[in-house]
């Protein structure tokens, strides 16, 4: 059974950086494509980034491309989201998610497992 725990959120000034981590306590991490989503109060959950099982292919939303990077370390059962040049509009709860299958996805409905989330707050 997959179980994901995010960490690394916090309060940062605009222009700053944070690195989020998401660790899988199960034993099948390398079988999953992984994604990061975010949700701000009163807004729908939004796709941020995705990466395939091997880490060879990734996809980022236009709103974060050039500022955020997604990566994974299968030996550590961990997926990362490096966030640079943060803006106040990046403020949200950030969630990692896992999906079976080899194709990348952007829809939350296509992900099978979710972490509990970590809060990122960017002050202006």
């Amino acid at each position: 059974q997959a179980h994901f725990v995010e960490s690394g959120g916090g309060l940062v000034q605009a222009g700053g950086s944070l690195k989020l981590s998401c660790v899988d306590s199960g034993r099948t991490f390398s079988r999953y494509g992984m994604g990061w989503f975010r949700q701000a109060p009163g807004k729908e959950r939004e796709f941020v980034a995705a990466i395939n099982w091997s880490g060879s292919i990734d996809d980022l939303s236009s709103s974060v491309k050039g500022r955020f990077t997604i990566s994974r370390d299968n030996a550590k059962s961990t997926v990362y989201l490096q966030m640079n040049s943060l803006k106040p509009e990046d403020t949200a709860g950030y969630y990692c998610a896992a999906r079976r299958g080899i194709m990348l996805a952007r829809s939350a409905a296509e992900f099978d497992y979710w972490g509990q989330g970590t809060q990122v707050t960017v002050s202006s």
Side-chain angles (χ1 to χ4, degrees):
Q1 180 69 31
H3 179 63
F4 298 93
V5 178
E6 301 97 332
S7 62
L11 174 64
V12 64
Q13 289 188 332
S17 297
L18 283 173
K19 186 174 184 177
L20 306 184
S21 299
C22 172
V23 179
D24 174 20
S25 61
R27 300 181 179 183
T28 57
F29 178 76
S30 62
R31 299 180 185 180
Y32 298 118
M34 298 297 298
W36 286 97
F37 290 77
R38 66 187 181 187
Q39 189 168 19
K43 294 187 177 182
E44 293 186 355
R45 190 161 293 193
E46 174 190 15
F47 168 78
V48 175
I51 191 166
N52 73 333
W53 67 275
S54 67
S56 61
I57 304 171
D58 63 38
D59 180 30
L60 292 101
S61 72
S62 58
S63 62
V64 306
K65 191 171 290 185
R67 300 188 298 123
F68 292 11
T69 303
I70 186 171
S71 61
R72 66 189 296 161
D73 185 338
N74 286 346
K76 296 182 178 180
S77 297
T78 302
V79 62
Y80 305 98
L81 186 68
Q82 177 67 48
M83 306 186 295
N84 300 327
S85 302
L86 282 161
K87 304 175 181 179
E89 52 263 45
D90 294 318
T91 295
Y94 282 73
Y95 300 84
C96 72
R99 71 183 299 272
R100 295 180 289 264
I102 62 173
M103 302 298 291
L104 297 180
R106 289 191 166 203
S107 170
E110 297 189 65
F111 285 80
D112 303 295
Y113 304 102
W114 292 83
Q116 85 291 346
T118 185
Q119 179 66 32
V120 171
T121 302
V122 184
S123 64
S124 58

